[in-house]
């Protein structure tokens, strides 16, 4: 009923503007498609400017030279090398949040995607692969930057937006022709683009009675037996979907032992925080208790105003995986009290 009301509203508006009946019907079909997909109606560049609350000059600048609207810096990777992070300036970030909330959130992603997905996490991703005989871990190389602006245009086009509106929206979400790591739209767009990959991989995995899940660029397969040849087939599927395998991080576990998946131990019949993580955190907590926070910071030459918050964050992660751990529960209360005392 609501669709009919909206359509009639625009139909009357178009008639008043003096448009021909043929042009009006083209616009009406366009509107109906967008409404069926539960996304906002956007006719052209000017309309998009109004919806985003930005003037034409600003939005044209974003679309034509997006790099001027990002702050770039590098962070070290855990196993060497550096990762480029591109964070949009506030005005652009606000536009991207609008697109994410009003458009991208309406698009369904594949159920095997656990990263940046509602009610899913590294915990749900890891639980799928507990206590399996064989485990295969595959990492996708340069995940975000592999996804091009043309693929993003296709995403918006598939929702019913015309070519130019799709181009404008994609340009707002991309930098240097690819998805930037650091933009709020990149995670959900990566899941939407990877939907075909997920669909093909789960279908292929099921032929071998295997489980499959993906957390961002981390792919995991598990089951009774994973043949070495299986990796070749999976690589072909990944390449055909436009992604690349980081062969250095590909690991096939055939024997029981230490197994860490997205930072969680799945070596036993239940998920746990890795031993090294616990040991290091216990040591930090022990030193703070023994020497006091001030002396500990001086001794370790720690100059971080958010140090206590980072410790609490680590404890919260521990409890998210092992909610009944007594040591972590006690430490959390203790360090929250320390924060309160520091604020007073």
């Amino acid at each position: 009923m609501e669709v009919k009301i909206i359509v009639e509203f625009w139909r009357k508006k178009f008639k008043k503007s003096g448009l021909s009946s043929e042009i009006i019907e083209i616009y009406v079909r366009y509107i109906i498609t967008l409404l069926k997909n539960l996304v906002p109606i956007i006719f052209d560049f000017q309309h998009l400017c109004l919806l985003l609350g930005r003037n034409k000059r600003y939005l044209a600048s974003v679309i034509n030279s997006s790099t001027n609207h990002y702050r770039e810096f590098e962070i070290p990777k855990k196993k060497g090398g550096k990762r480029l992070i591109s964070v949009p300036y506030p005005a652009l970030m606000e536009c991207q949040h609008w697109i994410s909330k009003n458009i991208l959130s309406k698009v369904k992603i594949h159920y095997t995607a656990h990263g940046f997905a509602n009610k899913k996490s590294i915990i749900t991703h890891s639980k799928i692969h507990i206590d399996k005989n064989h485990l295969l871990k595959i990492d996708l190389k340069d995940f975000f930057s592999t996804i091009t602006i043309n693929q993003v245009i296709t995403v918006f086009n598939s929702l019913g937006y015309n070519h130019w509106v799709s181009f404008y929206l994609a340009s707002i979400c991309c930098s240097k022709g690819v998805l930037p790591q650091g933009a709020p739209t990149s995670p959900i767009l990566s899941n939407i683009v990877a939907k075909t990959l997920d669909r093909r991989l789960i279908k292929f995995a099921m032929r071998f009675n295997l489980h499959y899940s993906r957390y961002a660029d981390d792919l995991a397969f598990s089951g009774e037996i994973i043949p070495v040849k299986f990796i070749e087939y999976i690589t072909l599927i990944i390449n055909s979907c436009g992604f690349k395998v980081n062969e250095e991080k590909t690991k096939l576990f055939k024997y029981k032992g230490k197994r860490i998946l997205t930072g969680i131990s799945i070596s036993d019949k239940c998920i746990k925080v890795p031993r090294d993580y616990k040991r290091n955190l216990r040591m930090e907590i022990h030193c703070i208790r023994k020497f006091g926070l001030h002396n500990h910071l001086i001794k370790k030459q720690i100059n971080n105003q958010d140090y206590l918050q980072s410790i609490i964050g680590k404890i919260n992660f521990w409890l998210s995986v092992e909610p009944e751990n007594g040591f972590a529960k006690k430490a959390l209360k203790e360090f929250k009290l320390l924060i309160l005392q520091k604020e007073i």
Side-chain angles (χ1 to χ4, degrees):
M1 186 65 184
E2 191 178 336
V3 173
K4 287 183 179 179
I5 293 169
I6 295 170
V7 169
E8 281 308 307
F9 167 81
W10 282 106
R11 195 188 291 275
K12 288 176 182 177
K13 199 171 181 65
F14 294 144
K15 281 182 180 178
K16 284 184 179 179
S17 299
L19 294 176
S20 68
S21 57
E22 290 178 358
I23 297 296
I24 289 173
E25 287 311 308
I26 291 171
Y27 273 123
V28 165
R29 285 197 297 271
Y30 179 69
I31 290 168
I32 289 171
T33 302
L34 296 175
L35 291 175
K36 282 182 178 178
N37 286 321
L38 304 176
V39 294
I41 299 163
I42 307 172
F43 292 115
D44 51 27
F45 179 73
Q46 186 176 348
H47 192 190
L48 181 59
C49 289
L50 291 170
L51 289 171
L52 294 176
R54 296 289 181 267
N55 62 50
K56 292 181 184 179
R57 186 176 178 182
Y58 171 80
L59 210 59
S61 173
V62 170
I63 292 165
N64 295 318
S65 9
S66 59
T67 51
N68 295 329
H69 298 270
Y70 286 85
R71 179 172 63 91
E72 293 189 341
F73 57 92
E74 291 180 330
I75 59 172
K77 294 181 180 179
K78 286 183 180 179
K79 295 186 178 179
K82 292 183 178 179
R83 190 187 308 279
L84 180 66
I85 304 296
S86 301
V87 179
Y89 288 122
L92 175 56
M93 185 175 283
E94 192 176 303
C95 294
Q96 291 173 344
H97 276 302
W98 187 93
I99 292 170
S100 182
K101 179 184 177 181
N102 294 284
I103 300 176
L104 300 177
S105 65
K106 313 296 182 184
V107 185
K108 286 186 179 180
I109 60 173
H110 200 269
Y111 72 91
T112 57
H114 289 253
F116 326 117
N118 188 33
K119 295 181 180 179
K120 292 186 178 181
S121 64
I122 55 174
I123 293 173
T124 58
H125 172 59
S126 301
K127 280 183 175 179
I128 291 168
H129 307 284
I130 295 172
D131 200 35
K132 301 296 190 295
N133 193 38
H134 284 187
L135 170 69
L136 172 63
K137 289 167 56 176
I138 292 178
D139 179 80
L140 298 181
K141 193 174 182 180
D142 303 322
F143 183 52
F144 285 134
S145 59
T146 302
I147 298 171
T148 67
I149 189 170
N150 286 334
Q151 290 172 291
V152 179
I153 289 171
T154 301
V155 168
F156 290 112
N157 201 237
S158 67
L159 292 171
Y161 290 113
N162 64 49
H163 171 75
W164 284 111
V165 170
S166 298
F167 171 73
Y168 302 144
L169 291 168
S171 298
I172 292 168
C173 298
C174 292
S175 178
K176 299 177 183 176
V178 296
L179 282 188
Q181 186 158 348
T185 42
S186 292
I188 190 167
L189 275 168
S190 68
N191 275 340
I192 295 168
V193 172
K195 192 156 51 174
T196 301
L197 173 70
D198 291 331
R199 188 165 53 241
R200 289 183 62 184
L201 289 180
I202 186 62
K203 189 176 180 181
F204 189 72
M206 288 171 72
R207 291 185 190 176
F208 291 80
N209 294 316
L210 298 176
H211 299 271
Y212 162 73
S213 65
R214 178 178 62 81
Y215 187 90
D217 55 358
D218 291 314
L219 280 58
F221 301 84
S222 64
E224 190 59 30
I225 297 174
I226 299 179
V228 176
K229 198 78 176 173
F230 180 81
I231 300 173
E232 292 181 29
Y233 299 140
I234 290 298
T235 302
L236 287 172
I237 292 172
I238 291 169
N239 291 341
S240 68
C241 288
F243 296 97
K244 297 177 285 184
V245 172
N246 187 343
E247 294 180 3
E248 293 177 4
K249 291 187 177 181
T250 299
K251 290 183 180 180
L252 176 58
F253 299 85
K254 289 188 174 184
Y255 307 100
K256 297 290 183 181
K258 185 179 179 181
R259 293 182 179 183
I260 308 296
L261 185 62
T262 52
I264 294 178
S265 172
I266 57 169
S267 304
D268 299 318
K269 292 187 178 182
C270 61
I271 59 169
K272 290 183 179 179
V273 173
R275 289 179 183 176
D276 291 346
Y277 186 98
K278 290 181 186 177
R279 184 169 57 248
N280 293 336
L281 184 52
R282 280 178 186 271
M283 183 61 71
E284 276 192 277
I285 292 169
H286 170 73
C287 289
I288 293 168
R289 285 170 174 169
K290 186 176 180 180
F291 303 110
L293 177 63
H294 181 70
N295 291 331
H296 173 67
L297 293 174
I298 293 171
K299 188 175 181 180
K300 294 291 182 180
Q301 295 183 332
I302 298 169
N303 185 23
N304 180 3
Q305 292 182 344
D306 298 320
Y307 176 72
L308 273 181
Q309 291 288 4
S310 71
I311 294 292
I312 288 174
K314 290 176 182 178
I315 298 170
N316 276 325
F317 170 68
W318 187 345
L319 286 171
S320 70
V321 181
E322 302 176 30
E324 299 306 317
N325 187 281
F327 176 86
K329 279 183 176 180
K330 184 180 177 182
L332 184 62
K333 287 181 182 178
E334 185 180 340
F335 278 80
K336 280 185 174 180
L337 187 61
L338 268 177
I339 288 277
L340 287 172
Q341 289 172 348
K342 192 179 177 185
E343 288 176 351
I344 292 169

